[in-house]
């Protein structure tokens, strides 16, 4: 077999070959995984994405868009659940691919996950700074030089959250529980206060006649269709692609598998439950927003806040601001945790410098790689226009979704006897449907995004050929391995 296609043996996928210095402590229980998923999936977008897509792309049909995006992500989630139950390792899709398809493909997926998680942390931090400045302004606090103030706030939040993740996973988990509970209270207030103001007439027939846009085709699909369109069924499906960005994050739950008690059963339940709950919450907020005011009156900049102002409930703007700030804070926190675990796994396998895989004896966390990730996030958020590149986060994630769906099909045939804590129902039909749904979401991304993604992956392959291929643990002579004598517990 070619060296770049060498596969990691399934027995070694969970890190038993690495020794206690490179093992992670068991920390998470099923309820913690649900909170982890809600922490990353429910951010400020819950207060804006429904209104923005209703006003510009789908009209009242945005409700159907949420359902379509939810189903597409659920198909991918089921595939993740099976592979996580079979290989409960911190590398998630990277580790799955290493076992099923081989090292070079594992590197490709790991490189895509770096793009997803590192850029996502920077994008969300940048948005957090802008929203925090706006929230303070709505509370009557005027900051001099708001752009500089936002830069300072972005720096502070990234330093703070990086420190929390680096100094102890248990501290981060407790903080996450508190913040998720608080933002769910804010969302509950939106639903309870807004529901009595719903006018069924605003829903229409969930369909607005399609309209051609006077712009040149921007997405891959529009290039093939030959024109840009909004509304109609085309708009409903196009909005589903944008809305899928809100659901992305359940895959980060899989990166916690190595730190989860009874991971083969707990991780699938945590992923599926958090995604279902997030879908229900998003649908409820979308129904309230679109039902309160006509989609033609929704402000694209501040959709939910403007809707409450239209119906005369101005004080809800402060609740929405608080919920948005808390929502983005938890997203950044979980993204840093997820990125830490992916890079930790890649370093443990030798594909990036192995020193990054060391676990702090004092804090029992991969502190070194966490600090590196935090520093890179600060540089990206402060000096790169990341808000214009957020589709790169989506394409990196969807690319991993494809490999996970294909991995379920291949592993069922190649390794049928492996113990599985969860099995995808109706396989290979469900994984095949996940592949099709993921491809559909990808072709609705801009051509420019595909071009940047291709350049990123080409650079990644160069890094692998220069460094990863030669330093991989699988490139070394095989020697008997001392088993781990127990995992750290707290």
């Amino acid at each position: 077999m070619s060296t770049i296609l060498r596969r990691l043996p399934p027995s070694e996928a969970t890190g038993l070959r690495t020794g206690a210095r490179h093992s992670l402590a068991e920390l998470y229980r099923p309820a913690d995984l649900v909170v982890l998923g809600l922490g990353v999936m429910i951010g400020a977008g819950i207060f804006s994405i429904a209104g923005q897509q209703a006003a510009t792309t789908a009209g009242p049909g945005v409700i159907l868009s949420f359902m379509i995006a939810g189903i597409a992500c659920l198909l991918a989630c089921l595939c993740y659940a099976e592979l996580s139950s079979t290989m409960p390792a911190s590398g998630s899709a990277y580790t799955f691919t290493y076992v099923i398809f081989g090292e070079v493909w594992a590197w490709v997926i790991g490189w895509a996950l770096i793009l997803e998680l590192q850029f996502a942390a920077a994008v969300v931090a940048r948005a957090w700074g802008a929203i925090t400045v706006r929230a303070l302004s709505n509370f009557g606090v005027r900051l001099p030089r708001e752009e500089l103030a936002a830069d300072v706030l972005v720096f502070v939040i990234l330093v703070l959250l990086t420190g929390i993740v680096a100094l102890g996973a248990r501290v981060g988990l407790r903080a996450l529980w508190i913040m998720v509970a608080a933002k769910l209270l804010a969302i509950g207030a939106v639903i309870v206060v807004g529901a009595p103001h719903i006018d069924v007439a605003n829903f229409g027939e969930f369909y607005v006649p399609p309209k051609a846009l006077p712009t040149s085709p921007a997405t891959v699909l529009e290039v093939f269709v030959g024109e840009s369109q909004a509304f109609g069924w085309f708009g409903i499906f196009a909005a589903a692609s944008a809305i899928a960005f809100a659901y992305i994050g359940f895959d980060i739950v899989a990166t916690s598998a190595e730190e989860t008690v009874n991971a083969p059963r707990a991780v699938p339940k945590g992923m599926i439950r958090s995604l279902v709950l997030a879908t229900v919450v998003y649908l409820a907020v979308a129904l309230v927003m679109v039902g309160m005011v006509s989609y033609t009156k929704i402000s694209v900049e501040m959709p939910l806040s403007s809707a409450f102002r239209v119906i005369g409930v101005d004080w809800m703007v402060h609740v929405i601001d608080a919920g948005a700030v808390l929502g983005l804070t938890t997203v950044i926190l979980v993204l840093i945790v997820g990125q830490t675990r992916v890079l930790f796994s890649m370093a443990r396998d030798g594909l990036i410098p192995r020193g990054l895989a060391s676990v702090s004896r004092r804090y029992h966390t991969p502190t070194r790689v966490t600090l590196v990730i935090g520093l890179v996030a600060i540089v990206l958020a402060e000096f790169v226009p990341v808000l214009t590149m957020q589709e790169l986060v989506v394409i990196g994630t969807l690319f991993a979704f494809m490999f996970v769906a294909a991995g379920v099909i291949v592993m069922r045939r190649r390794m049928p006897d492996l113990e599985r804590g969860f099995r995808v129902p109706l396989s290979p039909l469900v994984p095949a449907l996940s592949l099709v749904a993921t491809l559909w979401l990808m072709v609705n991304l801009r051509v420019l995004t595909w071009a940047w993604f291709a350049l990123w992956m080409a650079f990644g392959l160069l890094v692998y050929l220069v460094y990863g291929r030669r330093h991989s643990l699988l490139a070394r002579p095989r020697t008997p391995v001392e088993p781990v004598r127990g995992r750290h517990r707290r």
Side-chain angles (χ1 to χ4, degrees):
M1 181 186 297
S2 171
T3 56
I4 63 174
L5 293 178
R6 55 199 170 205
R7 296 201 299 269
L8 185 68
S11 60
E12 298 187 13
T14 56
L16 296 179
R17 67 196 184 284
T18 61
R21 179 171 172 267
H22 298 291
S23 63
L24 296 173
E26 287 183 345
L27 171 70
Y28 299 108
R29 298 188 180 276
D32 299 323
L33 297 181
V34 174
V35 171
L36 200 68
L38 294 178
V40 70
M41 281 187 280
I42 299 181
I46 195 168
F47 302 116
S48 60
I49 194 166
Q52 290 169 348
Q53 294 302 313
T56 62
T57 310
V62 74
I63 307 299
L64 302 178
S65 302
F66 271 96
M67 294 179 181
I68 293 167
I71 291 170
C73 288
L74 180 60
L75 292 172
C77 184
L78 292 173
C79 297
Y80 266 90
E82 175 165 328
L83 298 189
S84 296
S85 74
T86 310
M87 294 171 275
S90 60
S92 181
Y94 155 77
T95 301
F96 308 155
T97 306
Y98 209 161
V99 172
I100 299 169
F101 296 109
E103 186 172 279
V104 68
W105 294 113
W107 172 268
V108 165
I109 293 301
W111 197 248
L113 291 176
I114 291 173
L115 178 70
E116 170 200 351
L117 299 173
Q118 194 71 69
F119 264 86
V123 168
V124 176
R126 192 76 247 173
W128 182 92
I131 289 174
T132 302
V133 168
R134 189 188 71 201
L136 290 172
S137 177
N138 287 338
F139 275 105
V141 180
R142 300 291 178 181
L143 298 173
R145 301 183 64 182
E146 289 188 350
E147 185 173 346
L148 177 61
D151 290 340
V152 173
L153 287 170
V154 168
F155 177 81
V156 170
I157 194 63
L158 284 174
V159 169
L160 177 63
L161 295 181
T162 299
I164 288 175
V165 175
L167 298 180
R170 187 169 294 279
V171 175
L173 182 58
R174 288 171 179 166
L176 185 65
W177 267 92
I178 294 170
M179 288 187 288
V180 168
K183 75 177 177 182
L184 288 178
L185 284 175
I187 294 167
V190 167
I191 296 169
V192 170
V193 175
H197 298 276
I198 291 177
D199 182 353
V200 178
N202 288 325
F203 295 122
E205 297 180 353
F206 292 101
Y207 182 83
V208 177
K211 179 175 64 176
L213 299 177
T215 57
S216 58
T219 69
V220 174
L221 182 61
E222 287 173 354
V223 169
F224 285 105
V225 172
E227 65 177 354
S228 300
Q229 292 185 2
F231 306 108
W233 284 108
F234 187 96
I236 288 172
F237 279 99
S241 296
I243 289 167
F245 178 78
Y247 292 136
I248 286 173
F250 67 84
D251 56 315
I252 296 179
V253 177
T255 68
S256 66
E258 197 167 321
E259 301 162 86
T260 300
V261 178
N262 191 20
R265 297 193 179 277
V267 172
K269 290 179 181 178
M271 277 194 294
I272 295 170
R273 288 172 180 172
S274 61
L275 177 59
V276 170
L277 284 173
T279 303
V280 170
V281 170
Y282 269 104
L283 275 170
V285 172
L287 282 166
V288 168
M289 182 185 300
V290 177
M292 283 195 301
V293 297
S294 169
Y295 77 95
T296 58
K297 298 180 180 178
I298 294 176
S299 165
V300 176
E301 288 74 24
M302 294 182 292
L304 193 55
S305 296
S306 68
F308 275 102
R309 283 197 169 106
V310 168
I311 64 173
V313 189
D314 291 355
W315 60 270
M316 276 299 297
V317 172
H318 301 307
V319 176
I320 293 167
D321 286 340
V325 172
L326 285 169
L328 287 183
T329 303
T330 64
V331 173
I332 300 169
L333 179 64
V334 179
L335 286 170
I336 293 174
V337 171
Q339 175 72 315
T340 298
R341 273 50 184 175
V342 171
L343 284 184
F344 170 80
S345 293
M346 295 178 72
R348 193 166 58 180
D349 293 330
L351 298 184
I352 59 177
R354 192 162 163 78
L356 294 175
S358 62
V359 176
S360 168
R361 292 182 178 180
R362 181 177 180 181
Y363 303 113
H364 307 295
T365 59
T367 302
R368 189 178 299 173
V369 72
T370 303
L371 295 177
V372 170
I373 287 168
L375 177 62
V376 174
I378 289 170
V379 171
L380 287 174
E382 297 287 6
F383 302 108
V384 177
V386 288
L387 291 177
T388 64
M389 307 169 75
Q390 61 182 356
E391 274 196 4
L392 284 172
V393 175
V394 181
I395 196 169
T397 308
L398 295 178
F399 192 67
F401 283 8
M402 289 178 56
F403 272 79
V404 170
V408 171
I409 298 172
V410 174
M411 194 173 72
R412 287 279 188 99
R413 294 185 177 184
R414 214 179 258 172
M415 309 169 205
D417 298 327
L418 283 181
E419 184 177 350
R420 292 163 170 81
F422 175 87
R423 299 179 72 91
V424 177
L426 302 176
S427 182
L429 176 61
V430 169
L433 289 175
S434 178
L435 271 172
V436 172
T438 301
L439 281 170
W440 170 261
L441 296 176
M442 292 181 76
V443 298
N444 277 280
L445 298 175
R446 292 180 300 167
V447 174
L448 183 61
T449 299
W450 279 86
W452 278 112
F453 182 67
L455 288 174
W456 171 259
M457 299 311 292
F459 176 63
L461 283 173
L462 180 62
V463 173
Y464 170 75
L465 292 173
V466 171
Y467 182 91
R469 181 171 60 91
R470 294 185 295 110
H471 291 83
S472 167
L473 283 187
L474 295 187
R476 301 179 183 181
R478 308 298 287 164
T479 57
V481 180
E482 179 185 355
V484 177
R485 293 187 175 86
R487 303 174 72 184
H488 298 299
R489 293 180 181 271
R490 278 171 272 167

